[in-house]
Amino acid sequence: MMMYRKTNTKSSLLIAGIIIFIINTVILVGFTKSFYKSWQSLSWIESSALITQLGQPETSPWEQNKHPKYIVTYQYNYDGEVYSNDTISYFSNYKSQSGKWDTVRKELEEANQNNTPITVFINPNDPSESIIDKYYNYSLVFGLLIGLLSFYLLAYLISRDWLNRFITNKHRKRQIDNHPLKPWFWRKEWIKKTISPNNSMDLKFVFSITLLITLFTVSLLLLLKDKDSNLMLVTLSIIFSSAGIIALIYLLFRRMKYGYSELELTPHPFFTGQTNQGQLLVKRGNLKEHDIIVTLECRLVSIDYSGMKPMPKIKVLWSDKTYANIESVNHKAFLLEFSFTIPAALPDSGNNLSDECHQWVLEVKADTLGIDLYKRYEIPVFNYSHRKTFLKFNHALQE
């Protein structure tokens, strides 16, 4: 029985997606409380308080270096009740992120030295809660949230990719068991009577990568606002994001100009040892006969382990070119028709031994004014003997 190259379903993909999701969730939970509490404190009531303790506690030199701490305790009166608190700000990493800590500490030391009151902000719903500085950095909050969103998206894409690979392998095995005489049904892309272009996946891939990089870039710009210590990182992120957006716009314009063309094969699948026809519908552009070149290649795709990491290696076993005939369908679309005579001795699609897989790739190209036409399809091609079995099988069903 014919063997097929299995889709890689390494559990490391799923584990990586789960780890990214868990880390993201822990970070999000850790920051959400402080950010929400800081946002609430913006509406708290202003009052005055007296400092009762200020400074750094007595610790060993090792603790001073590893865990520096600055304590301020203050008392205030609210509705006849005396409260004591030591909260400076609820905003996460206030001392390092606000850029105000040196100024606030100096004011606290001066107030303590002169025994003068300081300004505090009290929660009217719970007077035991109070802060000295109701600082809130919107750009930092949104930058962190957008950054976390980009990593959640990455975790989703990784997990979805693993799930798709897993389902593909299960589906393929079931099809092999159910249809042993119809090997072209073992690939879900070939079950339909038409074949979707492979480079439609390029658009999805570029969109996903561009969205991730753009979200990461925006988060960096917000997180590192008014800081130039990571200027190189921001610059590289902007360059990659811009390149992705340009590529995405190009692919979108190509889709808008020529449409999403599904390939129809006659017969479906193609067979070696005979002449096969194909056609696809494209939007009207500056297309002319003898400008549209259709190429069919049989490729041997193998894995090269000679380098630092395994890399795919492609060897063309057979190739043929022809020009497409243009038939006008209406004022908006052309029908492109072509045919190929395939030698009988060539291998079947997807025939696999270990790390080698045969692919039949059909490409439609045309150099035109503006954006060029380019469509790529991986098509099913099988030995002519399969056609005889296929016809016999269909004939038995009809009887």
Side-chain angles (χ1 to χ4, degrees), residues 62-77:
W62 182 85
E63 291 176 327
Q64 286 281 356
N65 293 331
K66 295 294 182 182
H67 305 284
K69 194 172 183 181
Y70 194 89
I71 294 178
V72 54
T73 306
Y74 52 91
Q75 286 186 349
Y76 55 92
N77 187 294

Side-chain angles (χ1 to χ4, degrees), residues 44-106:
W44 287 2
I45 298 172
E46 181 178 330
S47 184
S48 60
L50 288 175
I51 297 175
T52 57
Q53 182 183 359
L54 181 70
Q56 201 162 339
E58 293 184 3
T59 55
S60 66
W62 182 85
E63 291 176 327
Q64 286 281 356
N65 293 331
K66 295 294 182 182
H67 305 284
K69 194 172 183 181
Y70 194 89
I71 294 178
V72 54
T73 306
Y74 52 91
Q75 286 186 349
Y76 55 92
N77 187 294
Y78 187 84
D79 284 346
E81 293 286 339
V82 178
Y83 297 92
S84 180
N85 208 338
D86 61 359
T87 305
I88 300 172
S89 173
Y90 283 111
F91 197 84
S92 181
N93 298 326
Y94 167 81
K95 294 178 182 179
S96 60
Q97 296 292 342
S98 68
K100 300 175 59 179
W101 172 236
D102 289 338
T103 302
V104 172
R105 183 173 62 179
K106 184 178 180 181

Side-chain angles (χ1 to χ4, degrees), residues 20 30 142 160 223 317-318 332 340 370 379:
I20 293 174
F142 285 120
R160 190 188 68 171
L223 289 170
L317 303 180
W318 176 85
K332 291 184 177 180
F340 286 98
I379 68 171

